[in-house]
Amino acid sequence: SAGAPTTLAIGGVSYEQRVPFIGIGNAVIPGERGQWMITIPQPAPLMVAATVEHMRRANIRSVGYIGFSDAWGDLVYDALTQAAGPANIRVLTNERYARSDTSVTAQVLKIVTARPDAILTGGSGTPGALPHLALMERGWRGPSYSTHAIINRDFIRVGGASVEGLIAPTGPVVVAEQLPESNPIRAVAMQFREVYQRVHNEPTTDAFSAYAYDAWLIFADAARRAAATTPPGTPAFRTALRDAIVSTRELVGTHAVYTFTPTERYGVDDRARVLVRLERGQWRLVQ
């Protein structure tokens, strides 16, 4: 795990070293160990804020929420409440369900009864489609939003007609071909897609493989800089590699232009998000 001590014996002398860690899941380790970690996926507040801004422009004044009964559900709900207040949008519900649940009928009935102008779901993967299926069964036809955690092929397959028209934030790689030529992320994202197609003989349809690609870009860049001053394979190289990772500056990836500091674990800004709408099973850039 990030920053976990590793004991090395060199020349009869024991050294305790920590290992740099690049996370491709949305998590941050607190404390001193967290100083050895960076996280690639965009933080929930950054992404949900883009969704709330779209709601505000659409004159939405109330929103119902349903999400996982776990840390991810909490992160999305907290980000929603933080952004909704300044936008004068009321959050009417905070319904939850477990990832393994097969029904959310009771929760959806409460949401529909509250009569929100729009609904935001805080799920991920295929379980993230469950609320949308239930909402459609209950006649919901209002605007529906979700998060970047549902950008994958199986979510679309399971959700079917219930997720048509859904709006969600995601990294630019998902709609790379729709980005303007002036966007520096477009070229890197299109190159990634080309490599993925060549290796797997099928197109990439999710946001998650690109997180791993960006992690590799950051590692390769940091390793090159660290190796220029510190011999690889030495105890000191681990620290040098960590220092290089957290001093990454304006590195263009598929999801973001990354800049890290010793105290900034995410290293992304507004360039790491776009809004997309699901139209006939395809994600389309919301202009």
Side-chain angles (χ1 to χ4, degrees):
S1 60
T6 301
T7 302
L8 303 176
I10 301 176
V13 180
S14 292
Y15 298 87
E16 184 176 88
Q17 293 289 307
R18 293 187 180 275
V19 181
F21 183 74
I22 301 177
I24 57 174
N26 209 316
V28 174
I29 296 175
E32 194 273 337
R33 288 176 61 194
Q35 296 177 13
W36 288 76
M37 176 187 183
I38 63 167
T39 299
I40 303 301
Q42 303 91 332
L46 178 73
M47 305 303 263
V48 173
T51 302
V52 171
E53 175 58 23
H54 185 274
M55 293 180 186
R56 187 192 64 79
R57 294 196 305 268
N59 294 317
I60 290 170
R61 289 292 171 259
S62 62
V63 59
Y65 175 74
I66 178 171
F68 286 154
S69 55
D70 60 17
W72 178 244
D74 292 342
L75 282 172
V76 177
Y77 179 74
D78 291 345
L80 172 62
T81 56
Q82 291 168 14
N88 293 318
I89 296 174
R90 293 179 297 138
V91 181
L92 301 183
T93 66
N94 181 15
E95 296 298 320
R96 302 302 184 94
Y97 68 105
R99 294 172 184 253
S100 58
D101 283 350
T102 58
S103 173
V104 290
T105 300
Q107 297 94 317
V108 164
L109 284 173
K110 293 179 183 178
I111 293 173
V112 173
T113 300
R115 302 181 66 182
D117 293 336
I119 290 172
L120 172 69
T121 62
S124 68
T126 52
L130 184 60
H132 297 281
L133 291 165
L135 284 162
M136 186 176 187
E137 290 175 357
R138 295 298 163 182
W140 174 259
R141 297 295 182 268
S144 295
Y145 297 83
S146 195
T147 72
H148 51 311
I150 52 82
I151 305 293
N152 68 86
R153 180 166 46 195
D154 282 342
F155 171 84
I156 298 172
R157 176 183 60 82
V158 173
S162 72
V163 295
E164 182 71 11
L166 175 74
I167 294 175
T170 188
V173 64
V174 173
V175 287
E177 77 286 355
Q178 301 173 45
L179 299 174
E181 295 283 351
S182 59
N183 190 320
I185 295 175
R186 176 187 168 116
V188 178
M190 293 300 291
Q191 182 182 35
F192 161 71
R193 284 187 172 191
E194 179 184 347
V195 171
Y196 190 99
Q197 174 73 42
R198 187 165 63 245
V199 172
H200 299 283
N201 198 31
E202 64 178 4
T204 174
T205 57
D206 64 70
F208 302 101
S209 53
Y211 288 137
Y213 186 79
D214 283 0
W216 171 253
L217 292 178
I218 292 168
F219 165 75
D221 173 73
R224 175 185 55 79
R225 289 185 285 114
T229 60
T230 309
T234 63
F237 183 73
R238 297 188 182 195
T239 300
L241 180 59
R242 187 279 307 268
D243 292 344
I245 289 172
V246 299
S247 63
T248 299
R249 293 288 182 276
E250 291 292 296
L251 179 71
V252 181
T254 66
H255 273 281
V257 179
Y258 297 94
T259 294
F260 294 96
T261 72
T263 58
E264 175 50 60
R265 295 290 160 258
Y266 285 100
V268 298
D269 54 26
D270 289 353
R271 293 173 290 180
R273 65 184 188 184
V274 294
L275 283 178
V276 294
R277 178 184 284 105
L278 192 60
E279 298 177 359
R280 298 182 180 179
Q282 300 294 322
W283 295 110
R284 302 298 181 191
L285 182 66
V286 175
Q287 301 293 342

